[in-house]
């Protein structure tokens, strides 16, 4: 009973993704289809497991600035477009600074379990910096899982060294397996101390990516493949990519839309290369879905851990503050283990209820999630922030407010707060089969939808009927049809601003809401 | 005998760790080559390393002020074909 879901737009792609799958028994993806070993690996991974991402957080550090190839959708002024939204610039850290920061965050926030290096360039084009960070963390913080994303060019030569560390998974961006296609995406690579251009460059890159994938799979490392869908360049071809990477053992293939704007100054942006329509993206994901588990529930992460923790919390971990701190990580690890154990105990209890019976329940089992992570942003009364608001969005493409309320069977949930917008997950309406479309059934269905939306204060949709409007309002959920067809995040931002301006009880929360187990 | 980094450099760091002479400085507004130390990679590599990885056309010049990566060399599209290629790409 996988639902139709699609991916949010991303400059290119990302492994920084929040997973939110359908009604699996706790883990994201295709749940029981996954071999136990893989399942165990993703179970606590906030990017891959829907359930885990409610409980655990990950962070990224930017230690690797350089890149060894050129993608036509990247201009190198910003972070690697394979990994983040266009136009993002991260503060560059040295490996030592990065390690101090990670330890400080991990000690303060036990939920932080995954550390990723994803740029700003290609982490493996800067092997010393990346590996030094991993080496120190593996030694000092063995309870943190490490992950890395790469364009793959330098991967084969580094696989063995990566495997010495606590590496949990690797993301490779693979846009093609055919050099003729590749030559339209990558104008050059830097290879063996020379610049190589054209088809030859693509040939080498592809060979390296495939070899790296095979080597990682052979060593039992999870490999996720990202692809950027570029209309007219690799759209049809991505089906072939999907087949090939699946055959080689990638556990996930994530197709993301190209976003190329002239103002980003990329080659594609300047040339007017368009990105895919929602329909094209959906169709391609559908076509590849038969082949393997597509990460159709993937949303691009809004932020790395610091963002996730909120602006106010992020300010606690600036370099100056960290520089003066002596972290007793051994003690922190004990605390962390306790927190993890209680999270696990809690998850185990929740997961006993079968999905079908719990979805329509008044408090869906995932509802504790926003309390846990959002609470992290709310502990400092000295920096009053408006409280977070949960909003539901009726969307067919995961990108726009484009669905009629009555037609929505799933709602995307977002949390808006002073520090930004966070994708929370998805809620699905499971209507009991009444068999008829009588008025009673319609009312009952509406009631179920309202119960399912418990905790949300706003529901955004393209249109909504008069009657459901009234019922929603009565239930304390404000329907909003003013942002029909608008991009979800823009709409949520606008609504949240309006609520703040109107003073809708968004005054600071005075009592800290701590994560309880 | 030294190369030069000029305005237009996006401070992407790619060149710096490759320089066999340690001649590249993480300067602002853009990176700089210390002319005293730059050997143009002679004796170390066949091609000057900084100019072989730099992603921006026209920002690394040789001793005569000629760009090592002239317009069109990195995008693969020479300036006189820009319009043709743009039209083709926009038709996608
Ligand atoms: S791999 Fe390099 S060129 Fe491609 S998007 Fe990332 S940083 Fe840019
Ligand atoms: S030409 Fe060679 S020696 Fe000179 S700055 Fe560039 S990399 Fe360094
Ligand atoms: S590679 Fe080019 S753009 Fe990057 S820092 Fe060096 S000179 Fe500047």
């Amino acid at each position: 009973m996988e639902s139709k879901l699609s991916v949010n737009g991303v400059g290119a792609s990302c492994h920084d993704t929040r997973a939110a799958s359908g009604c699996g028994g706790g883990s994201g993806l295709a749940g029981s289809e996954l071999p136990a070993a893989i399942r165990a690996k993703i179970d606590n991974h906030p990017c891959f497991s829907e359930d885990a991402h409610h409980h655990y957080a990950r962070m990224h550090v930017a230690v690797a600035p350089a890149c060894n190839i050129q993608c036509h959708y990247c201009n190198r002024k910003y972070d690697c477009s394979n990994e983040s939204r266009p136009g993002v610039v991260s503060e560059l850290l040295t490996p030592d600074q990065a390690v101090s920061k990670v330890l400080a965050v991990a000690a303060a926030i036990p939920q932080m379990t995954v550390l990723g290096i994803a740029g700003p360039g290609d982490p493996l084009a800067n092997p010393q910096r990346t590996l030094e960070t991993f080496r120190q963390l593996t030694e000092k913080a063995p309870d943190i899982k490490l992950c890395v994303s790469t364009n793959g060019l330098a991967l084969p030569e580094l696989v063995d060294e990566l495997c010495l560390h606590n590496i949990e998974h690797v993301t490779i961006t693979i846009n093609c397996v055919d050099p003729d296609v590749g030559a339209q995406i990558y104008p050059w690579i830097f290879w063996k101390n020379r610049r190589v251009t054209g088809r030859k460059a693509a040939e080498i890159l592809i060979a390296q990516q495939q070899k790296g994938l095979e080597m990682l799979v052979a060593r039992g490392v999870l490999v996720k493949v990202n692809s950027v869908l570029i209309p007219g360049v690799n759209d049809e071809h991505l089906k072939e990519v999907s087949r090939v990477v699946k055959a080689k053992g990638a556990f996930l293939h994530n197709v993301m839309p190209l976003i190329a704007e002239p103002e980003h100054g990329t080659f594609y942006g300047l040339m007017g290369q368009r990105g895919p329509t929602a329909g094209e993206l959906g169709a391609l994901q559908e076509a590849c879905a038969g082949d393997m588990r597509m990460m159709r529930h993937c949303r691009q992460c809004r932020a790395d851990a610091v963002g996730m923790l909120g602006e106010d919390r992020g300010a606690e971990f600036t370099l100056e503050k960290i520089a003066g701190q002596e972290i007793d990580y051994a003690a922190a690890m004990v605390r962390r283990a306790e927190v993890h154990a209680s999270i696990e105990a809690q998850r185990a209890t929740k997961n006993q209820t079968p999905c079908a019976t719990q979805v329509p329940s008044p408090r869906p089992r995932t509802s504790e999630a926003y309390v846990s992570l959002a609470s992290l942003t709310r502990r400092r009364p000295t920096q009053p922030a408006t409280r977070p608001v949960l909003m539901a969005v009726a969307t067919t493409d995961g990108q726009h407010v484009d669905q009629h309320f009555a037609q929505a069977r799933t709602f995307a949930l977002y949390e808006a707060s002073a520090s930004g917008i966070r994708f929370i997950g998805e809620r699905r309406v499971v209507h009991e089969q009444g068999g008829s479309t009588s008025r009673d059934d319609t009312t009952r269905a509406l009631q179920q939808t309202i119960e399912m939306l418990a905790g949300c204060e706003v529901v955004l949709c393209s249109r909504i009927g008069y009657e459901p409007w009234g019922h929603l309002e009565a239930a304390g959920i404000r329907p909003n049809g003013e942002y029909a067809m608008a991009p979800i995040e823009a709409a949520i931002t606008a609504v949240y601003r309006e609520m703040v301006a109107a003073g809708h009880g968004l005054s600071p929360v005075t009592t800290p809401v701590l994560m309880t187990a | 005998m030294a190369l030069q980094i000029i305005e237009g450099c996006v401070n992407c760091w790619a060149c710096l760790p490759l320089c066999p002479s340690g001649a590249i400085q993480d300067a602002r507004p853009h990176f700089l080559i210390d002319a005293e130390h730059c050997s143009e990679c002679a004796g170390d590599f066949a091609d000057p390393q900084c100019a072989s990885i730099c992603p921006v056309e026209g920002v690394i010049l040789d001793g005569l002020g000629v760009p090592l990566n002239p317009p069109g060399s990195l995008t693969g599209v020479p300036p006189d074909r820009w319009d043709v290629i743009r039209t083709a790409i926009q038709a996608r």
Side-chain angles (χ1 to χ4, degrees), chain A residues 33-67:
Chain A
E33 283 173 38
L34 293 173
I38 292 186
R39 176 112 186 219
K41 286 192 177 176
I42 63 176
D43 231 23
N44 290 344
H45 198 297
C47 303
F48 298 142
S49 158
E50 175 199 14
D51 190 47
H53 101 256
H54 296 309
H55 301 276
Y56 298 106
R58 54 109 194 84
M59 73 180 282
H60 284 123
V61 286
V63 297
C67 185

Side-chain angles (χ1 to χ4, degrees), chain A residues 229-269:
Chain A
L229 168 52
I230 310 161
V233 176
N234 69 351
D235 35 8
E236 277 305 303
H237 181 60
L238 283 184
K239 296 174 191 168
E240 170 73 5
V241 171
S242 202
R243 254 192 309 280
V244 170
V245 300
K246 175 198 179 187
K248 295 198 173 158
F251 93 103
L252 234 159
H253 182 206
N254 181 28
V255 176
M256 310 299 286
L258 169 78
I259 296 176
E261 304 292 345
E263 60 268 27
H264 295 140
T266 63
F267 178 79
Y268 278 161

Side-chain angles (χ1 to χ4, degrees), chain A residues 65-68 70 72 75-77 92 184 187-188 190 193-195 231-233 267-268 270-274, chain B residues 10 12-14 17-18 45-47 49-55 69 73-77 82 85-86 89-90 92:
Chain A
C67 185
N68 48 10
Q70 182 63 52
H72 269 327
N75 83 342
R76 303 294 214 53
K77 283 188 203 164
L92 188 64
Q184 297 179 67
W188 58 263
F190 180 76
N193 298 100
R194 308 196 92 139
R195 197 191 305 267
V233 176
F267 178 79
Y268 278 161
L270 296 170
M271 284 292 185
Q273 165 71 48
R274 69 177 180 92
Chain B
V10 294
C12 77
W13 281 88
L18 295 178
F45 299 102
D47 300 336
Q49 294 300 285
C50 54
S52 301
I53 201 167
C54 179
N69 298 306
S73 62
L74 300 190
T75 56
V77 180
W82 194 262
I85 300 288
R86 197 201 320 259
I89 287 179
Q90 285 179 354
R92 283 174 185 165

